[in-house]
Amino acid sequence: MGRSVPKSLSSLSLGPERKCKCYNGYFVNGYVFHTEEYGQGRKTYNNGVCVKGSTSSELEVDYYGRLEEVVELQYHNEQNIVFLFKCYWYDTTDRGIRVDSHYGLVEIKSNMNDVFVFAKQCQQVYYTHTPSFGKDRSRVD
């Protein structure tokens, strides 16, 4: 067509390189995240992930998960690097989430299967297990 395409766009169209790098942690949005495995036995808890989102019906939905892996993808150009979080996601449907009206704590049920999210979309949360909230549930503080 006679038009030149920016090099960055051209490299994205080729897809990521066949090799990727994986890390135990990553610093983004002012938070230090560690994978769940790397954080085992440590005094700090850095694998709780929250992604603010919305649905097609324009309702706000927050997605909660635990960080399993940090993946770096490079797109045939050193300037096109993307960091992804592979997470274990909780069920945030109406049946899987409940907010305590008095304390504002979020109770979530675990059973989501979605996997990857952009690291830049993530905020950090802390999960605690509370027996009074029921079996297979966690509370977000």
Side-chain angles (χ1 to χ4, degrees):
M1 303 261 184
R3 295 183 187 171
S4 71
V5 177
K7 188 175 182 179
S8 59
L9 182 59
S10 176
S11 68
L12 285 174
S13 70
L14 297 172
E17 292 184 6
R18 296 183 66 89
K19 292 188 267 180
C20 69
K21 295 178 185 176
C22 296
Y23 299 95
N24 292 323
Y26 187 63
F27 179 81
V28 65
N29 299 332
Y31 303 108
V32 174
F33 289 93
H34 290 146
T35 62
E36 187 170 23
E37 181 180 347
Y38 182 77
Q40 292 290 331
R42 295 187 181 269
K43 291 182 181 181
T44 57
Y45 181 91
N46 296 334
N47 65 29
V49 175
C50 176
V51 176
K52 300 289 185 180
S54 62
T55 63
S56 59
S57 64
E58 298 183 14
L59 296 174
E60 287 190 14
V61 177
D62 295 339
Y63 298 92
Y64 297 95
R66 295 187 320 260
L67 181 59
E68 294 180 339
E69 197 170 5
V70 178
V71 179
E72 176 188 343
L73 297 178
Q74 189 168 342
Y75 284 80
H76 304 282
N77 179 338
E78 289 184 22
Q79 296 172 352
N80 289 328
I81 295 175
V82 175
F83 284 90
L84 301 174
F85 284 175
K86 179 182 178 190
C87 298
Y88 173 85
W89 295 104
Y90 293 102
D91 180 1
T92 56
T93 63
D94 289 338
R95 291 182 21 220
I97 193 166
R98 188 169 55 198
V99 179
D100 182 285
S101 59
H102 182 71
Y103 295 106
L105 299 173
V106 180
E107 178 186 357
I108 51 179
K109 186 176 181 180
S110 57
N111 71 355
M112 290 295 288
N113 293 322
D114 293 337
V115 182
F116 290 100
V117 66
F118 289 110
K120 286 186 174 185
Q121 295 175 302
C122 296
Q123 297 178 0
Q124 198 167 63
V125 293
Y126 174 78
Y127 299 111
T128 183
H129 296 283
T130 307
S132 64
F133 275 9
K135 187 178 178 182
D136 294 332
R137 289 195 179 260
S138 296
R139 193 169 70 184
V140 178
D141 294 328

